[in-house]
Amino acid sequence: MKVRHLLAAGAASLALVSHANAAETPIPAAPSSDAEATADPQTTSVGTGASDSGAIVVTARRRSETAQSVPLAISVVGGEHIDSTGSFNVGRLQQLTPTLQFYSSNPRNTAVNIRGLGVPFGLTNDGIEQGVGIYIDDVYNARVASATFDFLDVKQIEVLRGPQGTLYGKNTTAGAINITTNQPTFDFEGKAEVSVGNYNFVQAKAAVSGPLTDTLAARFAVSSTNRRGTIYNVKTNQDIQSQDNLGLRGQLLFKPSDIFTITLAGDYSEQDATCCGSVYVRTGLTQRALNRQYAALAAAQNYAAPSTNPFDRVTDLDSPLQAGNKIGGASIKVKWDVGPGTLTSVTAWRFWDWKPQNDRDFTGLPIVSKSQNPSQQDQYTQELRYNYSGDRLDFVLGAFGFYQRIDTQGTEQHGSASTKWNLAPSNALYNSNVLNGLTARNSQYLKNTSVAVYGQASFKLTPELTLQPGLRVNYDKKDGFYQRRVFDIAGNEILLSSPSTPTKTAQLGIFTPQEIAPKFSDWNFSYDFTASYKAAEGILLYATYAKTFKSGGINQNGVPTDTANNPILASATVKPESVRHYEAGIKTEFRDLNAILNVAIFRTDIKDYQANVNNGQFGVLRGYLANAGAVRSQGVEADFSVRPNERFNTYINAAYTDATYRKFVDAPCPPELSGGTVATGAQVPGAAGTPGGLSPANCDISGQRLPGVSEWSVSWGFEANAPVDLFKQDGLVYLGYDGSYRSSFSSNPSPSAYTQVAGYSLSNFRLGFRTDSGFDIYGFVRNAFDQDYFEQLFVGPGNTGLIAGLPGDPRTFGLTVRTAF
């Protein structure tokens, strides 16, 4: 904490000193910045910012071009708007980009999806690929945990929707998030920012850049965020769900000539929050016997949740909580103008170190007394590509290599309340405490190798008509290992080969020893084709078809067992997803009105969709992967922005997404249809929520919506300003507003009435004063109307009917001082 406070104080001092020394110059009618550009009809940037002029330039297709000229659905958010709206990580960015979904119960269990597609909703499994690629300065980040860190010195973020495998190093079937940071400059410049707010919120950012020699420039940036937690744990007298983030980035640019550059970059980020927990939300009847459901189990141990109102934000989790998260790495980018094109090489190494502790029973009882699965990752990537731009032909050719190793060491242990929670009163061991101290130790590793060649060309058949084919050839190989060993409280190992006893049977009902070494390898060929037509000045039509894939995977968290407790090895691997994507859109510019309107319609059909499956048991198998028959995501998106004059601009972005399982006949059942004796033969399963009823072995959820996807999501906002003379400086006083809405969504892989998250709307305001010299001071309020909402709901283990949840942030407010020099 002391380091964070020193950074905050240093940045504040830098801000005040630089403002005091800044020249007082009149502010122009339309201040200039490349951060936001809704003022110019050539732009498609999200939101409204301080400076709205000039076309947004994007590198989505590995070359610089205006966003409105790119024949794909893309949202662009400038660094200044990211800062001014408090959207300092992907979780907050989703409020500005309606088709982006972000879910995180902790940094490891994080999902980033676009149009409902990307990764299965639920506990993270290291054995599959991310469907949404995250790139920072051309470096692929394999761990989605990187999405939980604060953005650091960002110039702009491009959110690309739809498959991007013929343009990017790692294959991405749902889209890509392309983050560009500010680069070293040969002119001295800097910026600093400090924010303070309620919940002891303190955030400080600073960056400085300039020449070291005539051919060498450097840039250094730092960011620190601290905030106390929003949930109070009465058991430990702690505020949980806190923020404690530190980020550092340094870059060196060597430019001996105009045609050759080398950029060396290194970054390090860490999180050390008191995180991550949950609160009691509700209970719902399952098909378990009534005396084995939550109400009876809690009463048997004289337990009651500290509050039955989740928005009291009170919990009593008794296991230690920790979310130690470190991520970083280094890269070398070489760019060389060779003849008519540019050759680029990007070599990178990244690491990830995860040290968690969790409470997996979601209660204040010592049922699961320890749950921790620390992991370490090393990732190496090499990308080589050549870009050519001509009068009639543009193309990109690339090769990509990727190697990743993840090692995980897990410990799960049951406590003194486990026996009475998990064994029926009729069991002779009910009062024996036989499950106390039962421990599973898990060891696993993953070796993941991928190589690919890819390319995309743009043929300008006429000044109006362009054809754009692309292709990719990809090889993936995954080697995994998973071992679970089980020990009793005395440290004696429990083996499947040991003589069967009632004690052993009870203990194996919680943890089953297992060892598997799954492997997967496959070649894949994918392609896409886009045609675009400039119908008139300011009107671009385009249509895309893509046939692509997501690599097959392996189950790294164990697999189901048969009646003899042997692993079902057929479940150790999952087949690749086969993806067919169709999209059409129109991009329009209304120059007389300084407005744009873009509309896209899309449909994505996926065969062998990789779904997350949970069996509802403690520690037996928390989750594994399986192939659903088919999934479809289709919908329409619209983006509109207008700036009628220099004093006002506004935007609205909306998306309708219909993402459903088209065929999933053997899916896991929702909690209301789980927990009873499994129906066999001609037996008829009982009605949902009938205690003691028969449960189906699996459920047909064909036609139901994918988890985490709202049918409707909208973001909108405006900024108005007026010239004033304040603090003895000419400037602008401004009022900004950003709102968002999303309709209800399922928070369970199989839709359940118990885990449906109600729709909600959030409103964020800012009021401030800025000058052309770079000084900016504003107050902000987020979730201004203190909307109660859930980010996620969780089904408690064991089919007891317990539903826990993670409430979204309450109203927060504060003050920001920013300067640039």
Side-chain angles (χ1 to χ4, degrees):
M1 285 294 288
K2 291 182 179 179
V3 173
R4 312 295 201 273
H5 291 157
L6 286 172
L7 286 171
S13 300
L14 184 59
L16 295 175
V17 169
S18 61
H19 175 61
N21 293 331
E24 296 186 9
T25 57
I27 187 167
S32 176
S33 168
D34 63 359
E36 298 297 324
T38 52
D40 191 292
Q42 298 183 50
T43 67
T44 61
S45 65
V46 172
T48 53
S51 309
D52 294 324
S53 63
I56 285 287
V57 176
V58 299
T59 57
R61 296 197 296 174
R62 300 308 196 187
R63 53 186 179 268
S64 296
E65 52 195 341
T66 61
Q68 284 297 95
S69 67
V70 178
L72 59 84
I74 179 173
S75 301
V76 185
V77 187
E80 188 171 337
H81 194 60
I82 290 170
D83 292 338
S84 64
T85 57
S87 304
F88 54 81
N89 58 33
V90 174
R92 292 190 170 186
L93 182 66
Q94 69 173 338
Q95 294 182 24
L96 300 177
T97 53
T99 54
L100 179 68
Q101 297 98 30
F102 174 90
Y103 308 98
S104 180
S105 58
N106 61 49
R108 183 177 187 272
N109 291 319
T110 297
V112 178
N113 288 345
I114 293 175
R115 295 171 171 171
L117 305 175
V119 291
F121 188 92
L123 291 174
T124 298
N125 193 314
D126 294 327
I128 63 165
E129 306 291 339
Q130 308 297 322
V132 176
I134 300 176
Y135 295 85
I136 303 176
D137 291 336
D138 285 352
V139 176
Y140 174 70
N141 284 245
R143 293 308 309 174
V144 75
S146 62
T148 66
F149 283 102
D150 295 355
F151 298 139
L152 183 59
D153 197 22
V154 167
K155 179 181 180 181
Q156 72 180 28
I157 298 176
E158 303 163 11
V159 180
L160 288 65
R161 285 106 74 180
Q164 305 298 327
T166 64
L167 274 172
Y168 282 79
K170 199 75 173 72
N171 190 49
T172 55
T173 56
I177 301 174
N178 188 27
I179 301 173
T180 303
T181 69
N182 291 301
Q183 298 298 295
T185 59
F186 284 94
D187 295 318
F188 180 76
E189 65 178 35
K191 60 181 181 179
E193 175 184 318
V194 175
S195 300
V196 295
N198 62 335
Y199 289 93
N200 299 333
F201 175 72
V202 178
Q203 185 176 72
K205 301 178 183 180
V208 63
S209 179
L212 300 179
T213 69
D214 290 342
T215 58
L216 186 66
R219 188 178 190 95
F220 179 76
V222 60
S223 172
S224 171
T225 303
N226 278 270
R227 192 193 70 180
R228 71 175 175 87
T230 56
I231 298 173
Y232 182 66
N233 190 336
V234 299
K235 184 78 73 172
T236 61
N237 296 320
Q238 287 181 307
D239 294 306
I240 66 171
Q241 306 304 112
S242 64
Q243 295 177 355
D244 189 1
N245 304 344
L246 173 66
L248 306 169
R249 173 181 289 273
Q251 298 176 87
L252 287 174
L253 171 63
F254 177 58
K255 189 176 181 180
S257 70
D258 291 337
I259 65 169
F260 185 79
T261 62
I262 299 176
T263 304
L264 173 65
D267 67 280
Y268 172 81
S269 298
E270 68 174 30
Q271 296 172 326
D272 190 18
T274 305
C275 185
C276 299
S278 60
V279 299
Y280 172 96
V281 176
R282 65 174 71 99
T283 60
L285 290 176
T286 71
Q287 292 180 323
R288 223 178 182 201
L290 193 60
N291 68 346
R292 308 300 301 138
Q293 303 217 25
Y294 177 84
L297 293 170
Q301 303 201 48
N302 298 314
Y303 172 73
S307 174
T308 57
N309 178 2
F311 297 108
D312 286 343
R313 302 179 187 274
V314 174
T315 192
D316 63 346
L317 302 179
D318 60 317
S319 297
L321 299 179
Q322 177 181 308
N325 198 20
K326 298 178 181 179
I327 199 164
S331 66
I332 299 176
K333 180 191 289 188
V334 180
K335 295 186 69 174
W336 185 17
D337 290 343
V338 181
T342 301
L343 184 66
T344 303
S345 170
V346 183
T347 307
W349 160 73
R350 299 204 62 75
F351 73 88
W352 172 61
D353 187 5
W354 169 233
K355 294 182 178 180
Q357 295 188 79
N358 304 293
D359 192 317
R360 286 294 180 196
D361 59 52
F362 305 135
T363 74
L365 287 171
I367 304 168
V368 180
S369 58
K370 181 182 292 185
S371 178
Q372 52 193 47
N373 286 274
S375 294
Q376 307 82 41
Q377 175 205 252
D378 279 292
Q379 166 197 317
Y380 303 88
T381 56
Q382 173 63 57
E383 184 170 8
L384 188 67
R385 65 176 182 267
Y386 181 74
N387 295 62
Y388 170 85
S389 294
D391 293 336
R392 301 289 298 273
L393 173 67
D394 298 337
F395 67 81
V396 178
L397 292 176
F400 179 76
F402 169 84
Y403 177 78
Q404 173 192 43
R405 171 148 183 158
I406 303 177
D407 291 275
T408 302
Q409 313 82 35
T411 302
E412 296 181 66
Q413 186 175 79
H414 277 231
S416 59
S418 177
T419 301
K420 290 188 175 181
W421 193 270
N422 288 290
L423 300 185
S426 58
N427 191 309
L429 297 173
Y430 181 75
N431 292 309
S432 68
N433 221 4
V434 67
L435 301 181
N436 185 34
L438 183 68
T439 303
R441 301 191 185 281
N442 305 325
S443 298
Q444 57 182 282
Y445 68 75
L446 169 70
K447 299 176 183 178
N448 186 1
T449 303
S450 179
V451 293
V453 291
Y454 61 90
Q456 190 179 95
S458 293
F459 297 98
K460 302 171 186 176
L461 298 186
T462 70
E464 295 80 22
L465 178 63
T466 300
L467 302 182
Q468 180 181 290
L471 57 84
R472 179 186 185 91
V473 178
N474 206 98
Y475 174 74
D476 289 291
K477 180 181 179 182
K478 296 180 175 68
D479 294 292
F481 174 79
Y482 174 83
Q483 181 191 67
R484 179 170 55 223
R485 302 174 66 190
V486 182
F487 303 86
D488 64 19
I489 192 171
N492 301 309
E493 187 167 7
I494 302 170
L495 303 173
L496 290 176
S497 59
S498 301
S500 180
T501 65
T503 295
K504 178 185 173 183
T505 299
Q507 292 170 335
L508 290 180
I510 301 300
F511 294 131
T512 304
Q514 185 176 121
E515 182 173 316
I516 59 173
K519 297 179 183 295
F520 172 86
S521 62
D522 195 21
W523 286 90
N524 279 286
F525 172 76
S526 58
Y527 58 90
D528 55 45
F529 182 81
T530 298
S532 60
Y533 183 73
K534 190 173 182 181
E537 186 66 28
I539 301 178
L540 178 70
L541 306 172
Y542 67 92
T544 296
Y545 170 75
K547 174 66 173 69
T548 185
F549 72 98
K550 187 167 78 171
S551 170
I554 58 177
N555 270 304
Q556 280 295 102
N557 295 340
V559 296
T561 57
D562 59 22
T563 55
N565 282 323
N566 295 310
I568 301 174
L569 296 180
S571 302
T573 61
V574 288
K575 293 182 287 187
E577 291 182 355
S578 177
V579 181
R580 294 183 183 273
H581 176 77
Y582 313 83
E583 184 161 341
I586 180 172
K587 293 189 170 185
T588 59
E589 305 174 12
F590 305 94
R591 293 186 178 275
D592 292 342
L593 299 175
N594 283 327
I596 64 165
L597 173 62
N598 298 335
V599 179
I601 57 174
F602 65 90
R603 173 171 170 165
T604 304
D605 293 308
I606 302 178
K607 180 181 177 183
D608 294 324
Y609 176 79
Q610 295 168 358
N612 201 44
V613 177
N614 294 283
N615 69 352
Q617 300 278 331
F618 277 119
V620 178
L621 192 65
R622 287 195 318 218
Y624 65 100
L625 295 167
N627 289 109
V631 156
R632 182 186 69 200
S633 177
Q634 61 184 5
V636 59
E637 303 160 345
D639 305 300
F640 174 74
S641 66
V642 60
R643 184 167 189 157
N645 56 60
E646 64 193 35
R647 300 292 168 232
F648 182 78
N649 53 73
T650 186
Y651 71 95
I652 182 169
N653 308 311
Y656 170 78
T657 307
D658 174 28
T660 56
Y661 297 105
R662 304 314 302 160
K663 185 180 181 182
F664 198 2
V665 298
D666 54 354
C669 292
E672 55 264 45
L673 284 170
S674 302
T677 302
V678 176
T680 59
Q683 292 179 319
V684 178
T690 303
L694 293 173
S695 294
N698 45 55
C699 288
D700 183 352
I701 61 172
S702 303
Q704 299 197 50
R705 285 163 52 193
L706 292 180
V709 187
S710 298
E711 281 192 316
W712 290 98
S713 53
V714 187
S715 63
W716 64 93
F718 70 85
E719 184 174 294
N721 65 69
V724 297
D725 186 338
L726 193 63
F727 304 135
K728 296 183 178 181
Q729 291 212 17
D730 293 330
L732 295 175
V733 62
Y734 61 90
L735 171 67
Y737 167 76
D738 294 278
S740 63
Y741 166 78
R742 62 178 305 183
S743 60
S744 64
F745 63 91
S746 169
S747 192
N748 193 58
S750 293
S752 165
Y754 302 155
T755 58
Q756 192 73 8
V757 175
Y760 58 87
S761 179
L762 301 177
S763 293
N764 307 322
F765 293 90
R766 60 192 181 277
L767 175 65
F769 171 77
R770 61 174 175 259
T771 71
D772 192 42
S773 63
F775 178 72
D776 192 357
I777 180 171
Y778 62 91
F780 62 87
V781 56
R782 296 182 59 83
N783 190 6
F785 303 113
D786 206 18
Q787 169 78 60
D788 289 335
Y789 68 101
F790 291 108
E791 292 186 359
Q792 280 184 267
L793 295 176
F794 313 108
V795 177
N799 296 310
T800 68
L802 172 63
I803 305 297
L806 178 59
D809 280 353
R811 178 169 49 227
T812 57
F813 53 85
L815 179 73
T816 295
V817 179
R818 178 191 302 160
T819 191
F821 52 92

